Amino acid sequence: MPTNGLHQVLKIQFGLVNDTDRYLTAESFGFKVNASASSLKRKQMWVLEPDPGQGTAVLFRSSHLGRYLSAEEDGRVACEAERPGRDCRFLVLPQPDGRWVLRSEPHGRFFGGTEDRLSCFATAISPAELWTVHLAIHPQAHLLSVSRRRYVHLCPQEDELAADSNTPWGVDALITLIFENRQYCLRSCDSRYLRSDGRLVWEPEARARYTLEFKAGKLAFKDCDGRYLAPVGPTATLRAGRNTRPSKDELFDLEESHPQVVLVAANHRYVSVRQGVNVSANQDEEQHHETFLMQIDQETKKCAFYSSTGGYWTLVTHGGIQATATQVAATTMFETEWRGRRVALKASNGRYVCMKKNGQLAATSDFVGEDEEFILKLINRPILVLRGPDGFVCHRRGSNQLDTNRSVYDVFHLSFSDGAYHIQ
């Protein structure tokens, strides 16, 4: 079943790329590390953990092995520590171009090298000790200000991004991280980039690129002048403040962005909870009460629908559908059956959801007809990043083909018409 917590902070996984464009890799055999891989796969993924001693040092844990990177006094490195010890402590030193330098905290030496010749014994920083951070998570997410406990969203009236939303509802809350010249850009739902002065621009110019930093499991975005993005003033406008060191005001969480949808019934009206707990097809406008968040169970592929009023759709007495459940359960899960450009929903009682004459929805049908079919429209992905089991989807240079196993991604534009999508 999906978790009951809608606001799921993403576990930050990433790859580290050296100066020769090779990824730091943790091998199962002998727990050795190398920098030979040309793409970001399972063995190249790492998780940054804060030091248990509450210091400034951090730990690098292999997602693949569940063990920690360590550096001994003689410079030898490995990834075999099941529990973090003294040799596992590193200091991250961000560089002006966005790359990281990793220094052993107990021994004071720098970590770097090429292929299978990695060590942590350098006394000075050369290109071999510079690492680029490449996030392995899906780059489309919600951005939560740690200090204000509010979500960043696009404010069309003020033409800015602001951290003043209680819930990440609707398309305006979608933020896409774009990897550009070893740094990251924040892209709004209308495809513009956030510049450090708070303006939104159409090109990823230098002042719209940020160095990514981690602090206590949170993210900070440093601009080209060494200042950090923060919500500023009573309007919580997102722009670079005065601080050159990240405090709580400059820290953010990335939360998973679930698909948000609207449904149109056979009467050409939107499914809504505007008039109470009953889920009914009785509205002519597409607003928050007509928008539902879909949580998809990865094993069963069944869906739960969460409303803006704070309840899940659930099956009640006599097959009725109400948005009253506070937790995910068997009665809140629905099977989706695609029927051309329409979708049918089957409830936990084995019956299909239909529209009654008064517009209310109920799971009382044994067969699918016109009243059991809905148009399902995805509203919070006007721009789209696709990832499958083998990696991201990316256009192959010099060809009209798409690769589905890439560690980098292309951003596609999504348009909708009568139950069908066009991906450009």
Coordinates of all heavy atoms in Angstrom, one line a residue, residues 56-108:
T56 N 30.6 19.0 11.7 CA 30.4 19.4 10.3 C 30.8 18.3 9.3 O 30.5 18.5 8.1 CB 31.3 20.7 10.0 OG1 32.7 20.3 10.3 CG2 30.9 21.8 10.9
A57 N 31.3 17.2 9.8 CA 31.7 16.1 8.9 C 30.4 15.4 8.4 O 29.3 15.5 9.0 CB 32.6 15.2 9.6
V58 N 30.5 14.7 7.3 CA 29.4 13.9 6.7 C 29.9 12.5 6.4 O 31.1 12.3 6.4 CB 28.8 14.6 5.5 CG1 28.2 15.9 5.8 CG2 29.9 14.8 4.4
L59 N 29.0 11.7 6.1 CA 29.3 10.3 5.7 C 28.7 10.0 4.4 O 27.6 10.5 4.0 CB 28.6 9.3 6.8 CG 28.8 9.6 8.2 CD1 27.9 8.8 9.1 CD2 30.3 9.4 8.6
F60 N 29.4 9.2 3.6 CA 29.0 8.7 2.3 C 28.6 7.3 2.3 O 29.5 6.4 2.5 CB 30.0 9.0 1.2 CG 30.2 10.5 0.9 CD1 31.1 11.2 1.7 CD2 29.5 11.1 -0.1 CE1 31.3 12.6 1.4 CE2 29.7 12.4 -0.3 CZ 30.6 13.2 0.4
R61 N 27.3 6.9 2.2 CA 26.9 5.5 2.2 C 26.5 5.1 0.8 O 25.8 5.8 0.1 CB 25.7 5.4 3.2 CG 25.2 4.0 3.3 CD 24.2 3.8 4.4 NE 23.1 4.8 4.3 CZ 22.0 4.6 3.5 NH1 21.9 3.5 2.8 NH2 21.0 5.5 3.5
S62 N 27.0 3.9 0.4 CA 26.7 3.4 -0.9 C 25.2 2.9 -0.8 O 24.8 2.1 0.0 CB 27.6 2.2 -1.2 OG 27.1 1.4 -2.3
S63 N 24.4 3.4 -1.8 CA 23.0 2.9 -1.9 C 23.0 1.4 -2.2 O 22.1 0.7 -1.8 CB 22.2 3.7 -2.9 OG 22.1 5.0 -2.6
H64 N 23.9 1.0 -3.0 CA 24.0 -0.4 -3.5 C 24.4 -1.4 -2.4 O 23.8 -2.4 -2.2 CB 25.0 -0.4 -4.6 CG 25.6 -1.8 -5.0 ND1 24.8 -2.8 -5.3 CD2 26.8 -2.2 -5.1 CE1 25.5 -3.9 -5.6 NE2 26.8 -3.5 -5.5
L65 N 25.5 -1.0 -1.6 CA 26.0 -1.9 -0.6 C 25.5 -1.7 0.8 O 25.5 -2.5 1.7 CB 27.5 -1.8 -0.5 CG 28.3 -2.2 -1.8 CD1 29.8 -1.9 -1.6 CD2 28.1 -3.6 -2.2
G66 N 25.0 -0.4 1.1 CA 24.6 -0.1 2.4 C 25.8 0.1 3.3 O 25.6 0.2 4.6
R67 N 27.0 0.3 2.8 CA 28.2 0.4 3.6 C 28.8 1.8 3.3 O 28.4 2.5 2.4 CB 29.2 -0.7 3.3 CG 28.7 -2.1 3.6 CD 29.7 -3.1 3.4 NE 29.1 -4.4 3.8 CZ 29.8 -5.4 4.5 NH1 31.0 -5.1 4.9 NH2 29.2 -6.5 4.7
Y68 N 29.8 2.2 4.2 CA 30.3 3.6 4.2 C 31.7 3.7 3.6 O 32.5 2.8 3.7 CB 30.3 4.1 5.6 CG 29.0 4.2 6.2 CD1 28.4 3.2 6.9 CD2 28.3 5.4 6.1 CE1 27.1 3.3 7.5 CE2 27.0 5.6 6.7 CZ 26.4 4.5 7.4 OH 25.2 4.7 7.9
L69 N 31.8 4.8 2.8 CA 33.2 5.1 2.3 C 34.1 5.5 3.4 O 33.7 6.2 4.3 CB 33.0 6.3 1.3 CG 34.3 6.7 0.6 CD1 34.7 5.7 -0.4 CD2 34.0 8.1 -0.1
S70 N 35.3 4.9 3.3 CA 36.3 5.3 4.4 C 37.7 5.5 3.8 O 38.0 5.1 2.7 CB 36.4 4.1 5.4 OG 36.9 2.9 4.8
A71 N 38.5 6.3 4.5 CA 39.8 6.6 4.0 C 40.8 6.4 5.2 O 40.6 7.1 6.2 CB 39.9 8.0 3.5
E72 N 41.8 5.6 5.0 CA 42.8 5.3 6.1 C 43.9 6.4 6.1 O 44.0 7.2 5.1 CB 43.3 3.9 5.9 CG 42.3 2.8 6.1 CD 42.9 1.4 5.9 OE1 44.1 1.3 6.1 OE2 42.1 0.5 5.7
E73 N 44.7 6.3 7.1 CA 45.8 7.3 7.2 C 46.8 7.3 6.0 O 47.3 8.3 5.6 CB 46.5 7.2 8.5 CG 47.5 8.3 8.9 CD 48.1 8.1 10.2 OE1 47.7 7.2 10.9 OE2 48.8 9.0 10.6
D74 N 47.0 6.1 5.5 CA 47.9 6.0 4.4 C 47.2 6.3 3.0 O 47.9 6.1 2.0 CB 48.5 4.6 4.3 CG 47.5 3.5 4.1 OD1 46.3 3.8 4.0 OD2 47.8 2.3 4.2
G75 N 46.0 6.7 3.0 CA 45.3 7.1 1.8 C 44.4 6.0 1.1 O 43.7 6.3 0.2
R76 N 44.5 4.8 1.6 CA 43.7 3.7 1.0 C 42.2 4.0 1.3 O 41.8 4.3 2.4 CB 44.1 2.4 1.6 CG 45.5 1.9 1.0 CD 45.8 0.5 1.5 NE 46.1 0.5 2.9 CZ 46.3 -0.7 3.6 NH1 46.4 -1.8 2.9 NH2 46.6 -0.6 4.9
V77 N 41.4 3.8 0.3 CA 40.0 4.0 0.4 C 39.2 2.7 0.1 O 39.7 1.8 -0.7 CB 39.5 5.1 -0.6 CG1 40.0 6.4 -0.1 CG2 39.9 4.8 -2.0
A78 N 38.1 2.5 0.7 CA 37.2 1.3 0.5 C 35.8 1.7 0.9 O 35.5 2.8 1.4 CB 37.7 0.2 1.3
C79 N 34.9 0.8 0.6 CA 33.5 1.0 1.0 C 33.0 -0.3 1.7 O 32.1 -1.0 1.2 CB 32.6 1.3 -0.2 SG 31.0 1.8 0.2
E80 N 33.6 -0.6 2.8 CA 33.3 -1.9 3.5 C 32.8 -1.7 4.9 O 32.3 -2.6 5.6 CB 34.5 -2.8 3.5 CG 35.7 -2.2 4.2 CD 36.8 -3.2 4.2 OE1 36.6 -4.4 4.3 OE2 38.0 -2.8 4.1
A81 N 32.8 -0.5 5.5 CA 32.4 -0.2 6.9 C 30.9 -0.4 7.0 O 30.1 0.4 6.4 CB 32.8 1.1 7.3
E82 N 30.4 -1.4 7.8 CA 29.0 -1.5 8.0 C 28.5 -0.4 9.0 O 27.3 -0.1 8.9 CB 28.7 -2.9 8.6 CG 29.1 -4.0 7.7 CD 28.6 -5.4 8.3 OE1 27.5 -5.5 8.7 OE2 29.5 -6.3 8.2
R83 N 29.3 0.0 9.8 CA 29.0 1.2 10.7 C 30.0 2.3 10.6 O 31.2 2.0 10.5 CB 28.9 0.7 12.2 CG 27.7 -0.3 12.4 CD 27.6 -0.6 13.9 NE 26.5 -1.5 14.1 CZ 26.1 -2.0 15.3 NH1 26.8 -1.6 16.4 NH2 25.1 -2.8 15.4
P84 N 29.6 3.5 10.6 CA 30.6 4.6 10.4 C 31.5 4.7 11.5 O 31.1 4.9 12.7 CB 29.7 5.8 10.2 CG 28.4 5.5 10.9 CD 28.2 4.0 10.8
G85 N 32.8 4.7 11.2 CA 33.9 4.9 12.2 C 34.6 6.2 11.9 O 34.2 7.1 11.1
R86 N 35.7 6.4 12.6 CA 36.4 7.7 12.5 C 36.9 7.9 11.1 O 36.9 9.1 10.6 CB 37.6 7.6 13.4 CG 38.6 8.8 13.4 CD 39.6 8.7 14.6 NE 40.5 9.9 14.5 CZ 41.7 9.8 13.9 NH1 42.1 8.7 13.3 NH2 42.5 10.8 14.0
D87 N 37.4 6.9 10.4 CA 37.9 7.0 9.0 C 36.8 7.3 8.0 O 37.1 7.6 6.8 CB 38.7 5.8 8.6 CG 40.0 5.6 9.3 OD1 40.4 6.7 9.9 OD2 40.5 4.5 9.3
C88 N 35.5 7.3 8.4 CA 34.4 7.5 7.4 C 34.0 9.0 7.4 O 33.1 9.3 6.6 CB 33.2 6.6 7.8 SG 33.5 4.9 7.8
R89 N 34.6 9.8 8.2 CA 34.2 11.2 8.3 C 34.9 12.0 7.2 O 36.2 12.1 7.1 CB 34.5 11.7 9.7 CG 33.7 11.0 10.8 CD 34.4 11.1 12.1 NE 34.6 12.5 12.5 CZ 33.7 13.2 13.3 NH1 32.6 12.6 13.8 NH2 33.9 14.4 13.6
F90 N 34.1 12.8 6.4 CA 34.6 13.6 5.4 C 34.1 15.0 5.5 O 32.9 15.2 6.0 CB 34.3 13.1 4.0 CG 35.0 11.8 3.6 CD1 34.5 10.6 3.9 CD2 36.2 11.9 2.9 CE1 35.1 9.4 3.6 CE2 36.8 10.7 2.6 CZ 36.3 9.5 2.9
L91 N 34.9 16.0 5.1 CA 34.4 17.4 5.0 C 34.1 17.7 3.5 O 35.0 17.4 2.7 CB 35.4 18.3 5.6 CG 35.7 18.2 7.1 CD1 36.8 19.2 7.5 CD2 34.5 18.5 7.9
V92 N 33.0 18.3 3.2 CA 32.7 18.7 1.9 C 33.0 20.2 1.7 O 32.5 21.0 2.4 CB 31.2 18.5 1.6 CG1 30.8 19.0 0.2 CG2 30.8 17.0 1.6
L93 N 33.9 20.4 0.7 CA 34.3 21.8 0.4 C 33.8 22.2 -0.9 O 34.4 21.9 -2.0 CB 35.9 21.9 0.5 CG 36.5 21.3 1.7 CD1 38.1 21.4 1.6 CD2 36.1 22.0 3.0
P94 N 32.7 22.9 -1.0 CA 32.1 23.3 -2.3 C 33.1 24.3 -3.0 O 33.6 25.2 -2.4 CB 30.8 23.9 -2.0 CG 30.4 23.5 -0.6 CD 31.8 23.3 0.1
Q95 N 33.2 24.2 -4.3 CA 34.1 25.1 -5.1 C 33.2 26.1 -5.9 O 32.0 25.8 -6.1 CB 35.0 24.2 -6.0 CG 35.8 23.2 -5.3 CD 36.8 23.9 -4.3 OE1 37.7 24.6 -4.7 NE2 36.6 23.6 -3.0
P96 N 33.8 27.2 -6.3 CA 33.0 28.2 -7.0 C 32.3 27.7 -8.3 O 31.3 28.2 -8.6 CB 34.1 29.2 -7.4 CG 35.1 29.1 -6.4 CD 35.2 27.6 -6.1
D97 N 32.9 26.7 -8.9 CA 32.2 26.2 -10.2 C 31.1 25.1 -9.9 O 30.6 24.5 -10.8 CB 33.3 25.6 -11.1 CG 34.0 24.4 -10.6 OD1 33.7 24.0 -9.4 OD2 34.8 23.8 -11.3
G98 N 30.8 24.9 -8.6 CA 29.8 23.9 -8.3 C 30.3 22.6 -7.9 O 29.5 21.7 -7.4
R99 N 31.5 22.3 -8.1 CA 32.1 20.9 -7.8 C 32.4 20.9 -6.3 O 32.6 21.9 -5.6 CB 33.2 20.6 -8.7 CG 32.8 20.3 -10.1 CD 33.9 19.9 -11.0 NE 34.8 21.0 -11.4 CZ 35.9 20.8 -12.2 NH1 36.1 19.6 -12.7 NH2 36.6 21.8 -12.5
W100 N 32.6 19.6 -5.8 CA 33.0 19.4 -4.4 C 34.4 18.9 -4.3 O 34.9 18.2 -5.2 CB 32.1 18.3 -3.8 CG 30.7 18.8 -3.5 CD1 30.1 20.0 -3.8 CD2 29.7 17.9 -2.9 NE1 28.8 20.0 -3.3 CE2 28.5 18.8 -2.8 CE3 29.6 16.6 -2.4 CZ2 27.3 18.3 -2.2 CZ3 28.4 16.1 -1.9 CH2 27.3 17.0 -1.8
V101 N 35.0 19.2 -3.2 CA 36.3 18.6 -2.8 C 36.0 17.9 -1.5 O 35.3 18.4 -0.6 CB 37.4 19.6 -2.6 CG1 38.6 19.0 -1.9 CG2 37.8 20.2 -4.0
L102 N 36.4 16.6 -1.4 CA 36.2 15.8 -0.2 C 37.5 15.6 0.5 O 38.5 15.1 0.0 CB 35.6 14.4 -0.6 CG 34.4 14.4 -1.6 CD1 33.9 12.9 -1.8 CD2 33.3 15.2 -1.0
R103 N 37.5 16.0 1.8 CA 38.7 16.0 2.6 C 38.4 15.1 3.8 O 37.4 15.2 4.5 CB 39.1 17.3 3.1 CG 40.5 17.3 3.8 CD 40.9 18.7 4.1 NE 40.1 19.4 5.2 CZ 40.2 20.6 5.5 NH1 41.0 21.5 4.8 NH2 39.4 21.1 6.4
S104 N 39.3 14.1 4.0 CA 39.2 13.3 5.2 C 39.3 14.2 6.5 O 40.3 14.9 6.6 CB 40.3 12.2 5.2 OG 40.4 11.6 6.5
E105 N 38.3 14.1 7.3 CA 38.4 15.0 8.5 C 39.5 14.5 9.5 O 40.3 15.4 9.9 CB 37.1 15.0 9.3 CG 37.0 16.0 10.4 CD 36.0 15.7 11.4 OE1 35.9 14.6 11.9 OE2 35.3 16.6 11.8
P106 N 39.7 13.2 9.8 CA 40.7 12.9 10.7 C 42.1 13.0 10.2 O 43.1 13.2 10.9 CB 40.4 11.4 11.1 CG 39.6 10.9 9.9 CD 38.8 12.1 9.4
H107 N 42.3 12.9 8.8 CA 43.7 12.8 8.3 C 44.0 14.1 7.5 O 45.2 14.3 7.1 CB 43.8 11.6 7.4 CG 43.4 10.3 8.1 ND1 44.0 10.0 9.4 CD2 42.5 9.4 7.8 CE1 43.4 8.8 9.8 NE2 42.6 8.4 8.9
G108 N 43.0 14.9 7.1 CA 43.3 16.2 6.4 C 43.7 16.1 5.0 O 44.2 17.0 4.4

